[in-house]
Amino acid sequence: MDRYARQVVFPGVGEAGQRRLAESRATLVGCGALGTVIANVLARSGVGFLRIVDRDYVELTNLQRQVLFDEQDARDGVPKATAAVEQLQRVNSEIAYEAVVADLGPDNAERLLSDVDLVLDGADNFEVRYVVNDACVKLGKPWVYAAAIASYGVLMPIIPGETACLRCALADPPPAGSVDTCDTAGVLGPTPGIIGNLAAAEGIKLLIGAREQLSRGLTWIDCWYNSFNQTPIELPAPDCPTCQRRRFDFLERPVTSLGATLCGRDAVQVRPPAAVELDLGALAGRLTTIGSVRQGPHLVRLTVPPHELTIFRDGRAIVKGTSDVAVARGLYARYVGV
Ligand SMILES: [Zn+2]
């Protein structure tokens, strides 16, 4: 308990709260700007088990705001989930971690979210959030919705059966191209820090059962233009398809989108048409005749200018140097071909 002395002294937590934290399990979906802030707080606070799911790898442009990564991680292009866990193990070795280098989707969401007490949103796109919302409502897991961009962000704790869910608040994901992305609006460093820390605070309240202190409804903050708004959304929408009619449209949707452009990057993620587990050594061997190849423990990187393909063990590839899904899928079919 010594290392948590200051937190135990705080009356809202106390020894009982600290013990509950130590016994609790959480999954973090996405470990970029928001996710690294959330993971950092939860690990230092002494949550018992932390699973970090992320599909991407570290790049130099991440370091401005993604607090668990350093220049070496960017040079090595380490997967974010792995780099975050390696860093956090140095910070708090007394808790258990699991790094999952994968894209959370309808095919794996229930498996990754069913054995934890809390789910935290560090995602960078709405498609994933609606899958998380479906899975959490279906499984009865509380989760904290959070998003940050430019100088503003939102967060909302969601307790299925008690509070409004994401779909109560926002019936459909905003259509592609209608919202700001990190490409078009950028991200001011403090923004994900503020939103991520508030989301982590709500997460701690949920884990230790401080329900009466929970922030109810949607919190909206802009740290450049100085506004802080709370919109109460106390009750579920009576006609919500997800939490009232228990229709899980996003979870039941087949994984058909084989390519998706990544937020803030000149890159596209391509998923294999069916689940695979690649032999990275054999793949690296095959690709050496095509371009320059680097192999790490978690990925193979093929550079064929102007493109760079980073291929993960689960068959996904991030194709850098294009934002055209068709071009990325073509390169994937040519070089990976699974
Ligand atoms: Zn709902």
Side-chain angles (χ1 to χ4, degrees):
M1 281 280 183
D2 263 9
R3 66 188 301 150
Y4 306 116
R6 299 300 179 278
Q7 188 165 276
V8 169
V9 168
F10 175 68
V13 177
E15 278 195 27
Q18 192 62 50
R19 266 196 300 275
R20 288 192 72 169
L21 270 183
E23 288 159 5
S24 58
R25 299 167 58 85
T27 292
L28 169 68
V29 180
C31 195
L34 273 177
T36 50
V37 171
I38 294 169
N40 187 41
V41 172
L42 288 185
R44 288 176 194 270
S45 299
V47 65
F49 167 80
L50 181 58
R51 173 182 293 132
I52 299 178
V53 186
D54 192 277
R55 64 185 182 180
D56 208 350
Y57 55 87
V58 181
E59 289 193 304
L60 193 62
T61 57
N62 301 152
L63 305 185
Q64 167 246 357
R65 62 200 181 282
Q66 305 191 10
V67 297
L68 294 176
F69 310 137
D70 59 29
E71 292 178 357
Q72 192 60 46
D73 293 326
R75 272 193 293 273
D76 296 344
V78 185
K80 290 183 179 180
T82 314
V85 165
E86 279 169 8
Q87 171 61 20
L88 290 172
Q89 260 157 352
R90 285 193 287 272
V91 170
N92 189 349
S93 59
E94 292 178 3
I95 70 172
Y97 301 94
E98 183 187 345
V100 180
V101 183
D103 192 14
L104 188 127
D107 50 334
N108 58 11
E110 288 185 71
R111 180 168 57 79
L112 294 169
L113 307 184
S114 63
D115 60 348
V116 293
D117 308 295
L118 174 72
V119 177
L120 293 135
D121 175 10
D124 64 356
N125 67 89
F126 272 101
E127 199 180 327
V128 173
R129 291 193 180 101
Y130 279 80
V131 172
V132 168
N133 187 59
D134 270 13
C136 286
V137 170
K138 185 175 180 185
L139 300 165
K141 304 285 177 192
W143 73 285
V144 183
Y145 158 54
I149 199 144
S151 60
Y152 63 92
V154 294
L155 70 139
M156 183 170 87
I158 293 168
I159 308 173
E162 191 178 320
T163 69
C165 79
L166 179 63
R167 223 172 165 192
C168 294
L170 200 61
D172 292 299
S178 69
V179 289
D180 283 338
T181 67
C182 358
D183 265 332
T184 59
V187 188
L188 186 71
T191 314
I194 292 163
I195 301 293
N197 275 295
L198 285 174
E202 296 307 314
I204 290 172
K205 293 178 202 173
L206 284 164
L207 288 175
I208 69 176
R211 292 288 176 95
E212 65 287 357
Q213 313 302 339
L214 207 65
S215 155
R216 301 276 170 167
L218 194 77
T219 301
W220 192 95
I221 293 168
D222 190 311
C223 66
W224 194 258
Y225 299 104
N226 311 312
S227 53
F228 188 110
N229 288 299
Q230 286 191 295
T231 309
I233 309 176
E234 287 286 335
L235 296 172
D239 55 349
C240 175
T242 307
C243 69
Q244 298 306 302
R245 296 191 197 139
R246 299 191 67 78
R247 233 179 56 210
F248 304 114
D249 302 336
F250 298 90
L251 201 53
E252 283 153 17
R253 189 175 283 181
V255 187
T256 49
S257 70
L258 295 176
T261 49
L262 296 179
C263 182
R265 306 263 305 274
D266 183 28
V268 174
Q269 173 185 254
V270 182
R271 296 173 67 132
V276 287
E277 170 132 3
L278 294 181
D279 178 340
L280 293 179
L283 177 68
R286 279 202 306 278
L287 294 175
T288 45
T289 56
I290 292 162
S292 90
V293 176
R294 270 175 68 195
Q295 189 192 343
H298 310 283
L299 52 83
V300 170
R301 184 160 293 141
L302 166 69
T303 309
V304 192
H307 299 109
E308 182 188 89
L309 279 78
T310 300
I311 305 146
F312 298 92
R313 200 179 294 281
D314 65 1
R316 285 179 310 111
I318 292 177
V319 182
K320 201 174 155 185
T322 182
S323 52
D324 184 332
V325 172
V327 169
R329 287 183 63 175
L331 291 167
Y332 181 88
R334 197 180 319 155
Y335 299 136
V336 188
V338 292

